[in-house]
Amino acid sequence: RVKYVITDISMASQDGFSNFLIWLDLDAEQYYFSSTTPSKFDSSMAARLHLLNGASSRKGGEAIAPLEHFRLTYESGKKAVKIFEFVKGAKIIGQAPANSAVTLSADVQTNQGRAFVYENTARAQPDGLFQFIVPYTNVYKIKIGQKEVRLNISEEDVLGGKIIKID
Protein backbone atom coordinates (compact mmCIF):
# COMPACT_ATOMS: atom_id res chain seq x y z
CA ARG A 1 0.00 0.00 0.00
CA VAL A 2 1.20 3.52 -0.81
CA LYS A 3 2.23 5.61 2.19
CA TYR A 4 3.87 8.62 0.50
CA VAL A 5 3.63 10.28 -2.90
CA ILE A 6 6.39 12.59 -4.10
CA THR A 7 5.65 15.16 -6.79
CA ASP A 8 7.82 17.69 -8.54
CA ILE A 9 6.97 20.71 -10.61
CA SER A 10 7.76 18.94 -13.89
CA MET A 11 4.98 16.41 -13.24
CA ALA A 12 2.44 19.22 -12.97
CA SER A 13 3.73 21.28 -15.92
CA GLN A 14 2.39 20.89 -19.44
CA ASP A 15 5.67 19.53 -20.79
CA GLY A 16 6.24 17.04 -17.99
CA PHE A 17 2.63 15.89 -17.95
CA SER A 18 2.70 15.51 -21.75
CA ASN A 19 5.61 13.07 -21.35
CA PHE A 20 3.40 10.85 -19.16
CA LEU A 21 0.70 10.94 -21.81
CA ILE A 22 3.20 9.91 -24.50
CA TRP A 23 4.48 7.03 -22.35
CA LEU A 24 0.91 5.87 -21.78
CA ASP A 25 0.02 6.36 -25.47
CA LEU A 26 -2.81 8.77 -24.61
CA ASP A 27 -4.04 11.67 -26.73
CA ALA A 28 -2.77 14.93 -25.18
CA GLU A 29 -5.54 16.93 -26.91
CA GLN A 30 -8.07 15.32 -24.56
CA TYR A 31 -6.20 16.62 -21.50
CA TYR A 32 -5.77 20.31 -22.31
CA PHE A 33 -7.28 23.06 -22.02
CA SER A 34 -10.65 24.31 -21.06
CA SER A 35 -11.29 27.76 -19.71
CA THR A 36 -14.85 26.97 -18.67
CA THR A 37 -14.68 23.55 -17.01
CA PRO A 38 -11.96 21.47 -15.38
CA SER A 39 -9.92 19.65 -18.01
CA LYS A 40 -8.59 16.12 -17.58
CA PHE A 41 -5.27 17.73 -16.66
CA ASP A 42 -6.94 19.87 -13.95
CA SER A 43 -8.53 16.70 -12.54
CA SER A 44 -5.34 14.60 -12.70
CA MET A 45 -3.66 13.50 -9.48
CA ALA A 46 -0.47 15.32 -10.55
CA ALA A 47 -2.27 18.66 -10.79
CA ARG A 48 -4.52 18.08 -7.78
CA LEU A 49 -1.56 17.19 -5.59
CA HIS A 50 1.20 19.50 -6.78
CA LEU A 51 -0.72 22.57 -7.94
CA LEU A 52 -3.72 22.46 -5.58
CA ASN A 53 -1.94 20.91 -2.53
CA GLY A 54 -4.78 18.36 -2.37
CA ALA A 55 -7.22 21.20 -1.65
CA SER A 56 -10.37 22.02 -3.60
CA SER A 57 -10.64 24.51 -6.42
CA ARG A 58 -13.20 25.88 -8.85
CA LYS A 59 -12.95 26.36 -12.59
CA GLY A 60 -15.75 27.82 -14.64
CA GLY A 61 -18.18 27.32 -11.77
CA GLU A 62 -17.36 23.60 -11.46
CA ALA A 63 -15.69 22.21 -8.37
CA ILE A 64 -12.54 20.13 -8.25
CA ALA A 65 -12.99 18.14 -5.04
CA PRO A 66 -10.24 18.05 -2.41
CA LEU A 67 -8.30 14.87 -1.83
CA GLU A 68 -9.58 13.36 1.39
CA HIS A 69 -6.78 10.89 2.02
CA PHE A 70 -3.65 12.86 1.08
CA ARG A 71 -2.03 15.56 3.17
CA LEU A 72 0.94 17.73 2.27
CA THR A 73 3.74 16.93 4.72
CA TYR A 74 6.73 18.61 3.05
CA GLU A 75 7.49 21.12 0.32
CA SER A 76 10.88 22.36 -0.81
CA GLY A 77 11.76 26.03 -0.57
CA LYS A 78 10.70 26.84 -4.11
CA LYS A 79 7.76 24.39 -4.05
CA ALA A 80 9.55 22.31 -6.71
CA VAL A 81 9.18 19.09 -4.68
CA LYS A 82 6.26 18.13 -2.45
CA ILE A 83 5.65 15.03 -0.35
CA PHE A 84 2.13 13.87 0.48
CA GLU A 85 1.20 11.24 3.02
CA PHE A 86 -1.68 8.84 2.41
CA VAL A 87 -3.88 8.68 5.54
CA LYS A 88 -7.18 7.03 6.44
CA GLY A 89 -8.58 10.43 7.38
CA ALA A 90 -11.02 11.27 10.13
CA LYS A 91 -14.67 10.87 9.11
CA ILE A 92 -16.94 13.67 10.30
CA ILE A 93 -20.67 12.96 10.17
CA GLY A 94 -23.63 15.06 11.18
CA GLN A 95 -27.16 16.21 10.48
CA ALA A 96 -28.29 19.26 8.52
CA PRO A 97 -31.51 20.34 6.82
CA ALA A 98 -32.33 17.96 3.95
CA ASN A 99 -30.42 18.70 0.73
CA SER A 100 -28.65 21.72 2.25
CA ALA A 101 -25.02 22.65 1.64
CA VAL A 102 -22.55 22.12 4.47
CA THR A 103 -19.06 23.64 4.25
CA LEU A 104 -15.88 22.66 6.04
CA SER A 105 -12.61 24.58 6.14
CA ALA A 106 -9.27 24.59 7.94
CA ASP A 107 -6.22 26.80 7.65
CA VAL A 108 -3.15 24.71 6.82
CA GLN A 109 0.45 25.84 7.12
CA THR A 110 3.25 24.03 5.30
CA ASN A 111 6.72 23.29 6.65
CA GLN A 112 7.86 26.40 4.69
CA GLY A 113 5.32 28.61 6.50
CA ARG A 114 3.08 28.98 3.44
CA ALA A 115 -0.63 28.98 4.25
CA PHE A 116 -3.56 27.62 2.27
CA VAL A 117 -7.16 26.71 3.06
CA TYR A 118 -8.35 23.11 2.92
CA GLU A 119 -12.09 23.24 2.28
CA ASN A 120 -14.90 21.04 1.11
CA THR A 121 -18.63 21.30 0.55
CA ALA A 122 -21.09 18.45 1.03
CA ARG A 123 -24.76 18.28 0.24
CA ALA A 124 -26.85 16.76 3.01
CA GLN A 125 -28.84 13.73 1.89
CA PRO A 126 -32.65 13.81 1.89
CA ASP A 127 -32.54 12.44 5.46
CA GLY A 128 -30.15 15.27 6.45
CA LEU A 129 -27.02 13.13 6.85
CA PHE A 130 -23.71 14.62 5.65
CA GLN A 131 -20.13 13.47 5.92
CA PHE A 132 -16.57 14.61 5.28
CA ILE A 133 -13.25 12.79 5.41
CA VAL A 134 -10.37 15.06 6.42
CA PRO A 135 -6.62 14.40 6.15
CA TYR A 136 -5.19 17.11 8.41
CA THR A 137 -4.73 17.36 12.15
CA ASN A 138 -6.35 20.74 12.65
CA VAL A 139 -9.28 22.79 13.89
CA TYR A 140 -12.03 22.61 11.28
CA LYS A 141 -14.87 25.10 10.91
CA ILE A 142 -18.08 23.45 9.76
CA LYS A 143 -20.88 25.72 8.62
CA ILE A 144 -24.42 24.33 8.63
CA GLY A 145 -26.73 27.14 7.55
CA GLN A 146 -26.10 30.01 10.01
CA LYS A 147 -24.57 27.67 12.62
CA GLU A 148 -20.80 27.27 12.80
CA VAL A 149 -19.16 24.39 14.65
CA ARG A 150 -15.45 24.19 15.44
CA LEU A 151 -14.02 20.72 15.65
CA ASN A 152 -10.51 19.79 16.77
CA ILE A 153 -9.24 16.76 14.82
CA SER A 154 -6.24 14.95 16.33
CA GLU A 155 -3.44 12.98 14.71
CA GLU A 156 -4.94 9.83 16.21
CA ASP A 157 -8.31 10.67 14.57
CA VAL A 158 -6.67 11.12 11.14
CA LEU A 159 -4.37 8.10 11.22
CA GLY A 160 -7.00 5.80 12.73
CA GLY A 161 -9.88 6.84 10.48
CA LYS A 162 -11.94 7.73 13.55
CA ILE A 163 -15.63 8.57 13.09
CA ILE A 164 -16.56 11.85 14.75
CA LYS A 165 -20.24 12.75 15.12
CA ILE A 166 -21.46 16.33 15.29
CA ASP A 167 -24.73 17.15 17.04
Side-chain angles (χ1 to χ4, degrees):
R1 182 160 243 219
V2 173
K3 182 68 176 163
Y4 294 97
V5 175
I6 300 171
T7 65
D8 72 19
I9 192 62
S10 68
M11 296 170 73
S13 70
Q14 269 192 343
D15 292 338
F17 193 77
S18 292
N19 288 335
F20 288 119
L21 298 176
I22 290 167
W23 296 333
L24 297 170
D25 197 26
L26 297 172
D27 181 11
E29 292 295 317
Q30 294 180 13
Y31 283 80
Y32 305 106
F33 275 97
S34 170
S35 60
T36 58
T37 60
S39 67
K40 284 187 176 183
F41 171 74
D42 296 326
S43 299
S44 71
M45 285 298 285
R48 291 173 73 194
L49 286 169
H50 200 86
L51 300 178
L52 299 179
N53 303 305
S56 63
S57 184
R58 295 194 77 71
K59 186 171 184 182
E62 286 191 40
I64 299 172
L67 298 172
E68 298 174 325
H69 297 283
F70 290 91
R71 63 180 177 185
L72 179 60
T73 58
Y74 171 86
E75 67 180 352
S76 64
K78 298 195 186 274
K79 298 186 279 185
V81 175
K82 295 182 180 182
I83 300 175
F84 295 84
E85 181 182 13
F86 180 85
V87 294
K88 286 183 179 181
K91 183 185 278 190
I92 300 167
I93 60 173
Q95 288 290 134
N99 303 311
S100 65
V102 180
T103 59
L104 168 140
S105 65
D107 296 323
V108 177
Q109 190 165 6
T110 71
N111 65 296
Q112 293 294 324
R114 184 177 61 85
F116 67 93
V117 177
Y118 179 88
E119 59 188 344
N120 198 355
T121 301
R123 178 127 338 254
Q125 298 174 7
D127 65 359
L129 183 68
F130 70 85
Q131 75 173 29
F132 295 102
I133 296 174
V134 295
Y136 290 98
T137 298
N138 213 319
V139 175
Y140 287 87
K141 292 180 272 186
I142 301 166
K143 193 162 185 177
I144 306 167
Q146 298 302 314
K147 177 181 167 186
E148 185 174 285
V149 176
R150 291 183 180 266
L151 193 58
N152 191 7
I153 302 296
S154 71
E155 184 75 357
E156 183 180 299
D157 297 338
V158 169
L159 294 178
K162 185 174 179 184
I163 297 173
I164 298 148
K165 295 179 182 178
I166 304 175
D167 293 329

